[in-house]
């Protein structure tokens, strides 16, 4: 049992490799479904989540709390899948989001631009080779800019990954064989400690996302950690009622065994805007 997180350049067939791998192993698979799952779970817009996950960030986003909310939903969804184990996740920064979990196999799938442009031309119905090449470059630039903005890393850095596959030389079937061989390595085998960490990171992410999307707690800036199912939540709240609401919400999240309360109640004088 393990988790595979695949990062791909556009047209490199990373999704195809991931899907075939999940079929062979009998693992859960998600690529575009991550957005739908996050939207359903947290009540956010599919279009907003897709934008924040895949497109180049705008200047407005750099000063907006909405980006923080949307990213938290996507991260919580990916981490929840990883905590269930036996999953293949493609794109949406999964290889970066899951890097804290030691048994996650992080894979980068790439191919030369001309080959990817040829695939994109047929797949997207583009007019000519030049148009297809520019399309591939635009998608790659936007995805790289998004990862740089959110996680401060270069998505093309090979040291972020355990395996790099070039589909100019390797077919989809070859890619599946390479990843299956890598999963036999000691570093990709899960342990009780690793599984416990995955569950804790998932619970903390779900807690943070839930607090950030609920209308009553959306304005908070919570710091959330978890250890052995015990969730510590720290934030400044403006009333005892809001304090109690936060503790209640956290306690209702699946996987939470107890809540460690580090909330600070700071009552705001009348005439000041509420937090």
């Amino acid at each position: 049992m393990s988790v595979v997180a695949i990062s791909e350049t556009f047209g490199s067939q990373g999704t195809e490799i991931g899907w075939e791998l999940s079929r062979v192993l009998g693992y859960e698979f998600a690529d575009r479904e991550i957005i739908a799952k996050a939207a359903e779970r947290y009540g956010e817009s599919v279009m907003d989540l897709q934008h924040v996950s895949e497109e180049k960030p705008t200047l407005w986003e750099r000063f907006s709390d909405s980006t923080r909310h949307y990213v938290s939903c996507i991260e919580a969804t990916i981490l929840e899948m990883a905590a269930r184990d036996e999953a293949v996740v493609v794109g949406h920064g999964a290889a970066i989001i899951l890097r804290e979990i030691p048994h996650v196999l992080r894979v980068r799938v790439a191919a030369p631009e001309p080959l990817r442009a040829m695939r994109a031309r047929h797949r997207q119905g583009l007019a000519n080779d030049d148009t297809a090449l520019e399309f591939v470059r635009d998608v790659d630039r936007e995805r790289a800019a998004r990862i740089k903005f959110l996680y401060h890393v270069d998505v093309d850095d090979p040291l972020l990954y355990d395996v790099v596959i070039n589909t100019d030389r390797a077919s989809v079937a070859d890619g599946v064989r390479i990843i299956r061989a890598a999963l036999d390595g000691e570093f990709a085998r899960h342990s009780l400690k690793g599984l416990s960490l995955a569950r804790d990171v998932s619970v903390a992410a779900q807690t943070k996302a839930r607090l950030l999307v609920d209308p009553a707690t959306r304005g908070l800036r919570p710091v959330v950690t978890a250890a052995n199912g015990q969730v510590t939540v720290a934030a400044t709240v403006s009333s005892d009622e809001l304090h109690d609401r936060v503790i209640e919400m956290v306690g209702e999240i699946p996987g939470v065994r107890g809540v460690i309360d580090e909330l600070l109640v700071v009552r705001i004088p009348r005439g000041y805007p509420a937090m």
Side-chain angles (χ1 to χ4, degrees):
M1 295 188 294
S2 190
V3 177
V4 180
I6 298 177
S7 170
E8 63 172 349
T9 53
F10 189 85
S12 64
Q13 298 186 317
T15 298
E16 290 86 343
I17 290 172
W19 186 90
E20 180 62 14
L21 178 70
S22 69
R23 187 192 67 80
V24 170
L25 297 178
Y27 282 12
E28 182 180 8
F29 173 80
D31 58 346
R32 307 291 294 185
E33 295 92 339
I34 292 169
I35 297 298
K37 288 175 184 287
E40 181 180 4
R41 173 64 62 89
Y42 297 103
E44 298 291 347
S45 159
V46 169
M47 294 299 293
D48 287 337
L49 291 173
Q50 183 172 326
H51 166 69
V52 84
S53 174
E54 298 181 353
E55 298 173 11
K56 184 178 179 179
T58 64
L59 180 62
W60 175 82
E61 283 184 80
R62 299 176 189 274
F63 303 96
S64 170
D65 283 341
S66 296
T67 298
R68 186 165 54 101
H69 302 163
Y70 299 144
V71 170
S72 293
C73 295
I74 294 168
E75 290 176 347
T77 302
I78 291 172
L79 286 161
E80 188 177 358
M81 285 187 64
R84 291 197 296 267
D85 209 40
E86 297 192 347
V88 178
V89 188
V90 179
H92 307 288
I96 312 302
I97 293 166
L98 299 176
R99 58 186 167 179
E100 293 182 46
I101 303 173
H103 59 270
V104 172
L105 183 71
R106 296 170 295 170
V107 179
R108 179 69 165 169
V109 180
E113 281 186 345
L115 175 59
R116 295 191 291 118
M118 182 188 70
R119 291 170 178 168
R121 181 177 179 183
H122 293 295
R123 181 172 162 186
Q124 306 295 131
L126 300 174
N128 54 56
D129 291 342
D130 289 340
T131 301
L133 185 60
E134 190 57 35
F135 177 82
V136 164
R137 288 173 175 170
D138 284 345
V139 174
D140 285 349
R141 277 195 296 266
E142 292 212 352
R143 290 179 177 177
R146 173 64 59 180
I147 294 297
K148 186 75 171 180
F149 169 62
L150 294 176
Y151 303 110
H152 312 292
V153 297
D154 179 0
V155 72
D156 291 316
D157 182 356
L159 295 180
L160 292 174
Y161 310 100
D162 305 304
V163 176
V164 178
I165 298 172
N166 175 9
T167 58
D168 182 31
R169 291 173 56 82
S171 66
V172 169
D174 291 332
V176 171
R177 282 192 288 269
I178 291 167
I179 295 173
R180 292 189 71 183
L183 287 172
D184 288 332
E186 188 66 32
F187 68 97
R189 294 177 186 170
H190 71 259
S191 63
L192 292 177
K193 183 178 180 180
L195 290 173
S196 178
L197 173 61
R199 287 191 291 268
D200 282 336
V201 174
S202 172
V203 165
Q206 291 178 61
T207 300
K208 183 178 179 182
R210 185 64 64 190
L211 292 173
L212 288 175
V213 301
D214 189 279
T217 55
R218 195 178 183 94
L220 301 179
R221 292 183 174 272
V223 176
V224 182
T225 57
N228 299 317
Q230 299 288 322
V231 174
T232 300
V233 56
T236 301
V237 296
S238 57
S239 67
D240 292 329
E241 291 77 15
L242 185 54
H243 168 278
D244 295 343
R245 173 62 177 154
V246 170
I247 298 301
E248 179 184 11
M249 287 175 59
V250 175
E252 292 173 347
I253 293 171
V256 174
R257 297 178 180 176
V259 182
I260 299 174
D261 178 1
E262 293 191 359
L263 298 171
L264 176 63
V265 179
V266 178
R267 294 173 180 81
I268 302 174
R270 290 187 178 181
Y272 284 80
M275 286 183 284

